[in-house]
Amino acid sequence: MTGSDSLIDHGGDGPPILLLHGLMGRGRTWVRQIPWLRERGHVFTVDAAWHTGPIAPGTTIGPADTATERFVADTVDVLERIGDGPAVLIGHSMGGLHAWCTAAARPDLVSALVVEDMAPDFRGQTTRNWTPWFQTWPDRFTSVTHAQSMFGDVAGRYFYEAFDDGRLHGDLDVFTVIADEWGRRDYWAQWEAVAVPTLLLEAEFTVTPPGQMAEMARRNPHARHVVAPGAGHLIHDDAPAFFRDAVEEFLGERSAPEAEQSVVGDLDETVDE
């Protein structure tokens, strides 16, 4: 892992659950979900590479350092260190991509997936139009209210919780490079290789290309697609009750010994529609 080892054990009984944050997020942005997830398993969070604080001066960052494969390798390392059997991966946005790519690469380490508002193909899109907006950010946000005045109530709280004393927990240029890769390649092959039960949660006001998350369910018989009405990209914070109900129902099905056949049947019906 780049920077300090940020894997945090939040406790809980049962199989491991690893929470993977989105671009510009951080492990601690899952703070409101951790208490109820502990009732379903042993919960861990981790900060992705380049999301642990300021980058040391003189650090050289090459393409391999920000590639999806690097984040997958980091996730594999975390899962191997956690041990205790295959884990449920719950990933928001970038974290969802890393979750399913990890499940494709190392199916022995993953028992189930929750993918929140992420799709496999953003080719042709770019983050470069974000640059002028980034340049308007202050060096430091003085309070959560200050951040909310710029980003809105939900996103402002999310960003401020990721920041270090109001300061960005990484480098905007590096975050941009990470996202730019998604505009040059697709991840359909990795998605179609996933062989574990998957809950696809799409925001009504999604950032994903229209129809792609539904197409993900059609292409993979292990997946169920659900839309969160009225929610924006941060479903877990924008529609927390909906998110909790959907995830708890999904995890409850996974824990029931007789659930395997019934879940597959339900998913087959979804694909046929």
Side-chain angles (χ1 to χ4, degrees):
M1 302 292 292
T2 296
S4 61
D5 186 347
S6 58
L7 177 64
I8 298 178
D9 182 343
H10 296 276
D13 295 321
I17 299 173
L18 178 61
L19 305 178
L20 302 175
H21 62 79
L23 183 69
M24 299 174 65
R26 207 162 186 176
R28 60 192 181 215
T29 55
W30 291 106
V31 62
R32 282 164 291 283
Q33 288 70 49
I34 290 169
W36 58 264
L37 281 169
R38 276 198 296 256
E39 300 172 11
R40 295 290 180 177
H42 191 165
V43 180
F44 297 84
T45 60
V46 67
D47 292 347
W50 314 116
H51 290 71
T52 58
I55 297 172
T59 300
T60 300
I61 303 174
D65 298 312
T66 57
T68 299
E69 287 75 12
R70 182 265 165 79
F71 293 102
V72 170
D74 283 352
T75 305
V76 167
D77 174 67
V78 166
L79 292 173
E80 289 180 334
R81 284 192 285 143
I82 290 172
D84 202 24
V88 175
L89 302 185
I90 300 178
H92 169 246
S93 193
M94 178 186 78
L97 171 64
H98 297 166
W100 87 63
C101 288
T102 300
R106 288 293 305 271
D108 57 308
L109 294 176
V110 181
S111 62
L113 299 173
V114 176
V115 175
E116 180 186 354
D117 215 47
M118 189 59 176
D121 191 354
F122 288 86
R123 285 177 296 173
Q125 298 190 30
T126 177
T127 60
R128 295 301 171 182
N129 59 345
W130 297 357
T131 303
W133 178 57
F134 286 156
Q135 291 173 345
T136 68
W137 290 21
D139 290 336
R140 179 177 178 270
F141 289 87
T142 57
S143 65
V144 64
T145 303
H146 185 191
Q148 288 173 322
S149 70
M150 186 162 196
F151 305 118
D153 289 347
V154 173
R157 181 179 62 182
Y158 173 86
F159 282 129
Y160 193 77
E161 287 172 346
F163 294 160
D164 289 319
D165 191 28
R167 299 182 189 279
L168 189 66
H169 54 295
D171 186 287
L172 286 171
D173 289 339
V174 174
F175 293 161
T176 299
V177 169
I178 292 169
D180 277 348
E181 182 191 54
W182 310 337
R184 298 191 305 272
R185 59 184 292 197
D186 73 85
Y187 301 87
W188 281 114
Q190 293 90 334
W191 167 246
E192 291 169 355
V194 169
V196 297
T198 301
L199 176 62
L200 299 171
L201 290 177
E202 180 178 3
E204 179 179 354
F205 303 105
T206 182
V207 302
T208 66
Q212 268 202 36
M213 293 196 75
E215 179 65 16
M216 291 172 74
R218 285 191 288 270
R219 293 196 190 190
N220 191 318
H222 303 287
R224 173 184 301 165
H225 172 234
V226 179
V227 175
H233 183 53
L234 288 159
I235 302 171
H236 59 279
D237 272 339
D238 203 14
F242 179 93
F243 182 84
R244 177 175 180 173
D245 287 348
V247 172
E248 286 193 321
E249 179 182 1
F250 175 70
L251 296 182
E253 291 169 346
R254 298 306 312 139
S255 65
E258 71 280 6
E260 183 68 25
Q261 185 59 47
S262 64
V263 171
V264 171
D266 290 345
L267 296 175
D268 286 341
E269 291 175 8
T270 302
V271 173
D272 289 340
E273 289 176 355

Coordinates of all heavy atoms in Angstrom, one line a residue, residues 37-97:
L37 N -23.5 -2.7 9.7 CA -22.8 -3.8 9.0 C -22.1 -4.8 10.0 O -21.9 -5.9 9.7 CB -21.8 -3.2 8.0 CG -22.4 -2.7 6.7 CD1 -21.3 -1.9 5.9 CD2 -22.9 -3.8 5.9
R38 N -21.7 -4.2 11.1 CA -21.0 -5.1 12.1 C -22.0 -6.2 12.6 O -21.6 -7.3 13.1 CB -20.6 -4.3 13.4 CG -19.2 -3.7 13.2 CD -18.6 -3.3 14.5 NE -19.4 -2.3 15.1 CZ -19.1 -1.0 15.2 NH1 -17.9 -0.5 14.7 NH2 -19.8 -0.1 15.8
E39 N -23.3 -6.0 12.4 CA -24.3 -7.0 12.8 C -24.3 -8.2 11.7 O -24.9 -9.2 12.0 CB -25.6 -6.4 12.9 CG -25.7 -5.3 14.0 CD -27.1 -4.6 14.0 OE1 -28.0 -5.1 13.3 OE2 -27.2 -3.6 14.7
R40 N -23.6 -7.9 10.6 CA -23.7 -8.9 9.5 C -22.3 -9.5 9.2 O -22.2 -10.5 8.5 CB -24.1 -8.2 8.2 CG -25.5 -7.6 8.2 CD -26.5 -8.8 8.2 NE -27.9 -8.3 8.2 CZ -28.9 -9.1 8.1 NH1 -28.7 -10.4 8.0 NH2 -30.2 -8.7 8.2
G41 N -21.3 -9.0 9.9 CA -20.0 -9.6 9.6 C -18.9 -8.8 10.3 O -19.1 -7.8 11.1
H42 N -17.6 -9.2 10.0 CA -16.4 -8.5 10.6 C -16.0 -7.5 9.6 O -15.5 -7.8 8.5 CB -15.4 -9.6 10.8 CG -14.2 -9.1 11.6 ND1 -13.3 -10.0 12.2 CD2 -13.8 -7.9 12.0 CE1 -12.4 -9.3 12.8 NE2 -12.7 -8.0 12.7
V43 N -16.1 -6.2 10.0 CA -16.0 -5.1 9.1 C -14.6 -4.5 9.1 O -14.0 -4.2 10.1 CB -17.1 -4.0 9.4 CG1 -17.0 -2.8 8.4 CG2 -18.5 -4.6 9.4
F44 N -14.1 -4.2 7.9 CA -12.9 -3.5 7.7 C -13.0 -2.4 6.7 O -13.8 -2.5 5.7 CB -11.8 -4.5 7.1 CG -11.5 -5.7 8.0 CD1 -12.3 -6.8 8.0 CD2 -10.4 -5.6 8.9 CE1 -12.0 -7.9 8.8 CE2 -10.1 -6.7 9.7 CZ -10.9 -7.8 9.7
T45 N -12.3 -1.3 6.9 CA -12.1 -0.3 5.9 C -10.7 -0.1 5.5 O -9.8 -0.5 6.3 CB -12.7 1.1 6.4 OG1 -12.0 1.5 7.5 CG2 -14.2 1.0 6.6
V46 N -10.4 0.5 4.4 CA -9.0 0.8 4.0 C -9.0 2.0 3.1 O -10.0 2.3 2.4 CB -8.4 -0.4 3.2 CG1 -9.1 -0.7 1.9 CG2 -6.9 -0.3 3.1
D47 N -8.0 2.8 3.2 CA -7.8 3.9 2.2 C -7.1 3.4 1.0 O -6.0 2.7 1.1 CB -7.0 5.1 2.9 CG -7.7 5.8 4.0 OD1 -8.9 5.6 4.1 OD2 -7.0 6.5 4.7
A48 N -7.6 3.7 -0.2 CA -6.9 3.3 -1.4 C -5.5 4.1 -1.5 O -5.3 5.1 -0.9 CB -7.7 3.6 -2.6
A49 N -4.7 3.5 -2.4 CA -3.4 4.2 -2.7 C -3.7 5.7 -3.1 O -4.7 5.9 -3.8 CB -2.7 3.5 -3.8
W50 N -2.8 6.6 -2.7 CA -2.9 8.0 -3.0 C -4.0 8.7 -2.3 O -4.3 9.9 -2.6 CB -2.9 8.2 -4.5 CG -2.0 7.4 -5.3 CD1 -2.3 6.4 -6.2 CD2 -0.5 7.4 -5.2 NE1 -1.1 5.8 -6.7 CE2 0.0 6.4 -6.1 CE3 0.4 8.2 -4.5 CZ2 1.3 6.2 -6.3 CZ3 1.7 7.9 -4.6 CH2 2.2 7.0 -5.5
H51 N -4.6 8.1 -1.3 CA -5.7 8.7 -0.6 C -5.4 8.7 0.9 O -6.4 8.8 1.7 CB -7.0 7.9 -0.8 CG -7.6 8.0 -2.2 ND1 -7.0 7.4 -3.3 CD2 -8.7 8.6 -2.7 CE1 -7.7 7.6 -4.4 NE2 -8.8 8.4 -4.0
T52 N -4.2 8.7 1.3 CA -3.8 8.7 2.7 C -3.2 10.0 3.2 O -2.7 10.0 4.3 CB -2.8 7.5 2.9 OG1 -1.7 7.7 2.1 CG2 -3.5 6.2 2.6
G53 N -3.2 11.0 2.4 CA -2.6 12.2 2.8 C -1.7 12.8 1.7 O -1.6 12.3 0.6
P54 N -1.0 13.9 2.0 CA -0.2 14.6 1.0 C 0.9 13.6 0.4 O 1.4 12.8 1.2 CB 0.5 15.7 1.7 CG -0.4 16.0 2.9 CD -1.0 14.7 3.3
I55 N 1.2 13.7 -0.8 CA 2.2 12.9 -1.5 C 3.5 13.5 -1.2 O 3.7 14.7 -1.3 CB 1.9 12.8 -3.0 CG1 0.6 12.1 -3.2 CG2 3.0 12.0 -3.7 CD1 0.1 12.1 -4.6
A56 N 4.5 12.7 -0.8 CA 5.8 13.2 -0.4 C 6.5 13.9 -1.6 O 6.4 13.4 -2.7 CB 6.7 12.0 0.0
P57 N 7.1 15.0 -1.4 CA 7.8 15.7 -2.4 C 8.8 14.8 -3.1 O 9.5 14.0 -2.5 CB 8.5 16.9 -1.7 CG 7.7 17.1 -0.4 CD 7.2 15.7 -0.1
G58 N 8.9 14.9 -4.4 CA 9.8 14.1 -5.2 C 9.3 12.7 -5.6 O 10.1 12.0 -6.2
T59 N 8.1 12.4 -5.1 CA 7.6 11.0 -5.5 C 7.3 10.9 -7.0 O 6.7 11.8 -7.5 CB 6.3 10.8 -4.7 OG1 6.5 10.8 -3.3 CG2 5.7 9.4 -5.0
T60 N 7.8 9.9 -7.6 CA 7.6 9.7 -9.0 C 6.4 8.7 -9.1 O 6.4 7.6 -8.5 CB 8.8 9.0 -9.7 OG1 9.9 10.0 -9.5 CG2 8.5 8.8 -11.1
I61 N 5.4 9.1 -9.9 CA 4.2 8.3 -10.1 C 4.1 8.0 -11.6 O 3.9 8.9 -12.4 CB 2.9 9.1 -9.6 CG1 3.1 9.5 -8.1 CG2 1.7 8.2 -9.8 CD1 2.0 10.4 -7.6
G62 N 4.2 6.7 -11.9 CA 4.1 6.3 -13.3 C 2.7 5.7 -13.6 O 1.9 5.5 -12.6
P63 N 2.4 5.3 -14.8 CA 1.1 4.8 -15.2 C 0.7 3.6 -14.4 O -0.5 3.4 -14.0 CB 1.2 4.5 -16.7 CG 2.3 5.4 -17.1 CD 3.3 5.5 -16.0
A64 N 1.6 2.7 -14.1 CA 1.3 1.5 -13.3 C 0.9 1.8 -11.9 O 0.2 1.0 -11.3 CB 2.5 0.5 -13.3
D65 N 1.3 2.9 -11.4 CA 1.0 3.3 -10.0 C -0.4 3.7 -9.8 O -0.9 3.7 -8.7 CB 1.9 4.4 -9.5 CG 3.4 4.0 -9.5 OD1 3.7 2.9 -9.0 OD2 4.2 4.8 -10.1
T66 N -1.1 4.1 -10.9 CA -2.5 4.6 -10.8 C -3.4 3.7 -11.6 O -4.6 4.0 -11.7 CB -2.6 6.0 -11.3 OG1 -2.1 6.1 -12.6 CG2 -1.8 7.0 -10.4
A67 N -2.9 2.6 -12.1 CA -3.8 1.7 -13.0 C -4.7 0.9 -12.1 O -4.4 0.6 -10.9 CB -2.9 0.8 -13.8
T68 N -5.8 0.5 -12.6 CA -6.8 -0.3 -11.9 C -6.1 -1.6 -11.3 O -6.4 -2.0 -10.2 CB -8.0 -0.7 -12.8 OG1 -8.6 0.5 -13.2 CG2 -9.0 -1.6 -12.1
E69 N -5.2 -2.2 -12.1 CA -4.5 -3.4 -11.7 C -3.8 -3.2 -10.4 O -3.6 -4.1 -9.6 CB -3.6 -3.9 -12.8 CG -4.4 -4.6 -14.0 CD -5.0 -3.6 -14.9 OE1 -4.8 -2.3 -14.8 OE2 -5.8 -4.0 -15.8
R70 N -3.2 -2.0 -10.2 CA -2.5 -1.7 -9.0 C -3.4 -1.7 -7.8 O -3.1 -2.3 -6.7 CB -1.8 -0.4 -9.1 CG -0.9 0.0 -7.9 CD -1.7 0.8 -6.9 NE -1.0 0.8 -5.6 CZ 0.0 1.6 -5.3 NH1 0.5 2.4 -6.2 NH2 0.5 1.5 -4.1
F71 N -4.6 -1.1 -8.0 CA -5.6 -1.1 -6.9 C -6.1 -2.5 -6.6 O -6.4 -2.8 -5.4 CB -6.7 -0.1 -7.2 CG -6.3 1.3 -7.2 CD1 -6.1 1.9 -8.5 CD2 -6.1 2.0 -6.1 CE1 -5.7 3.2 -8.5 CE2 -5.7 3.3 -6.1 CZ -5.5 4.0 -7.3
V72 N -6.3 -3.3 -7.6 CA -6.7 -4.7 -7.4 C -5.7 -5.5 -6.6 O -6.0 -6.2 -5.7 CB -7.0 -5.4 -8.8 CG1 -7.2 -6.9 -8.6 CG2 -8.2 -4.7 -9.4
A73 N -4.4 -5.3 -7.0 CA -3.3 -6.0 -6.3 C -3.3 -5.5 -4.8 O -3.1 -6.4 -3.9 CB -2.0 -5.6 -6.9
D74 N -3.6 -4.3 -4.5 CA -3.6 -3.8 -3.1 C -4.8 -4.4 -2.4 O -4.7 -4.8 -1.2 CB -3.8 -2.3 -3.1 CG -2.5 -1.5 -3.4 OD1 -1.4 -2.2 -3.5 OD2 -2.6 -0.3 -3.6
T75 N -5.9 -4.6 -3.1 CA -7.1 -5.2 -2.4 C -6.8 -6.6 -2.1 O -7.2 -7.1 -1.1 CB -8.3 -5.0 -3.3 OG1 -8.5 -3.6 -3.7 CG2 -9.6 -5.5 -2.6
V76 N -6.2 -7.3 -3.1 CA -5.8 -8.7 -2.8 C -4.9 -8.8 -1.6 O -5.1 -9.7 -0.8 CB -5.2 -9.3 -4.1 CG1 -4.5 -10.7 -3.8 CG2 -6.2 -9.5 -5.2
D77 N -3.9 -7.9 -1.5 CA -3.0 -8.0 -0.4 C -3.8 -7.8 0.9 O -3.6 -8.5 1.9 CB -2.0 -6.8 -0.5 CG -1.1 -6.7 0.7 OD1 -0.3 -7.6 1.0 OD2 -1.2 -5.6 1.4
V78 N -4.8 -6.8 0.9 CA -5.6 -6.6 2.1 C -6.4 -7.8 2.5 O -6.4 -8.3 3.7 CB -6.5 -5.4 1.9 CG1 -7.6 -5.3 3.0 CG2 -5.7 -4.1 1.9
L79 N -7.0 -8.5 1.5 CA -7.8 -9.6 1.8 C -7.0 -10.8 2.3 O -7.4 -11.5 3.2 CB -8.6 -10.0 0.5 CG -9.7 -9.1 0.1 CD1 -10.2 -9.5 -1.3 CD2 -10.8 -9.0 1.1
E80 N -5.8 -10.9 1.7 CA -4.9 -12.0 2.2 C -4.5 -11.8 3.7 O -4.3 -12.7 4.4 CB -3.7 -12.2 1.3 CG -4.1 -12.8 -0.1 CD -3.0 -12.9 -1.0 OE1 -2.0 -12.1 -0.9 OE2 -3.0 -13.8 -1.9
R81 N -4.3 -10.5 4.0 CA -3.9 -10.2 5.4 C -5.1 -10.4 6.3 O -4.9 -10.8 7.5 CB -3.3 -8.8 5.5 CG -1.9 -8.7 4.9 CD -1.3 -7.4 5.3 NE -1.8 -6.3 4.5 CZ -2.1 -5.0 4.9 NH1 -1.8 -4.7 6.2 NH2 -2.5 -4.1 4.1
I82 N -6.3 -10.0 5.9 CA -7.4 -10.2 6.8 C -7.7 -11.7 7.0 O -7.9 -12.1 8.1 CB -8.7 -9.6 6.1 CG1 -8.6 -8.1 6.1 CG2 -10.0 -10.1 6.8 CD1 -9.7 -7.4 5.3
G83 N -7.6 -12.5 5.9 CA -7.8 -13.9 6.1 C -9.2 -14.2 6.5 O -10.1 -13.5 6.2
D84 N -9.4 -15.3 7.2 CA -10.7 -15.7 7.7 C -11.8 -16.0 6.6 O -12.9 -15.7 6.8 CB -11.2 -14.6 8.6 CG -12.3 -15.1 9.6 OD1 -12.3 -16.3 9.9 OD2 -13.1 -14.3 10.1
G85 N -11.3 -16.5 5.5 CA -12.2 -16.9 4.5 C -12.6 -15.8 3.5 O -12.1 -14.7 3.6
P86 N -13.3 -16.2 2.4 CA -13.6 -15.1 1.4 C -14.5 -14.0 2.0 O -15.3 -14.3 2.9 CB -14.4 -15.9 0.3 CG -14.9 -17.1 1.0 CD -13.9 -17.5 2.0
A87 N -14.3 -12.8 1.5 CA -15.0 -11.6 2.0 C -16.1 -11.1 1.1 O -16.0 -11.3 -0.1 CB -13.9 -10.5 2.2
V88 N -17.0 -10.4 1.7 CA -18.0 -9.6 1.0 C -17.3 -8.2 0.7 O -16.7 -7.6 1.6 CB -19.2 -9.4 1.8 CG1 -20.2 -8.4 1.1 CG2 -20.0 -10.7 2.1
L89 N -17.3 -7.8 -0.5 CA -16.7 -6.5 -0.9 C -17.9 -5.6 -1.2 O -18.7 -5.9 -2.0 CB -15.8 -6.6 -2.1 CG -14.6 -7.5 -2.0 CD1 -13.7 -7.4 -3.3 CD2 -13.8 -7.2 -0.8
I90 N -17.9 -4.4 -0.5 CA -18.9 -3.4 -0.8 C -18.1 -2.2 -1.3 O -17.3 -1.6 -0.6 CB -19.7 -3.1 0.5 CG1 -20.4 -4.3 1.0 CG2 -20.7 -1.9 0.2 CD1 -21.2 -4.1 2.3
G91 N -18.4 -1.8 -2.5 CA -17.6 -0.7 -3.1 C -18.5 0.4 -3.7 O -19.4 0.1 -4.5
H92 N -18.1 1.6 -3.4 CA -18.8 2.7 -4.0 C -18.0 3.3 -5.1 O -16.8 3.5 -5.0 CB -19.0 3.8 -2.9 CG -19.4 5.1 -3.5 ND1 -18.6 6.3 -3.5 CD2 -20.6 5.5 -4.1 CE1 -19.3 7.3 -4.1 NE2 -20.5 6.8 -4.5
S93 N -18.6 3.4 -6.3 CA -18.0 4.1 -7.4 C -16.6 3.4 -7.8 O -16.6 2.3 -8.1 CB -17.8 5.6 -7.2 OG -17.5 6.3 -8.3
M94 N -15.5 4.1 -7.7 CA -14.2 3.5 -7.9 C -14.0 2.2 -7.1 O -13.5 1.2 -7.7 CB -13.1 4.5 -7.6 CG -11.7 4.0 -7.8 SD -10.4 5.1 -7.2 CE -10.5 4.8 -5.4
G95 N -14.5 2.2 -5.9 CA -14.4 1.1 -5.1 C -15.2 -0.1 -5.6 O -14.8 -1.3 -5.5
G96 N -16.3 0.2 -6.3 CA -17.1 -0.9 -6.9 C -16.3 -1.5 -8.1 O -16.3 -2.7 -8.2
L97 N -15.7 -0.7 -8.9 CA -14.9 -1.2 -10.0 C -13.7 -2.1 -9.4 O -13.5 -3.2 -9.9 CB -14.3 0.0 -10.7 CG -13.2 -0.4 -11.8 CD1 -13.8 -1.2 -12.9 CD2 -12.6 0.9 -12.4

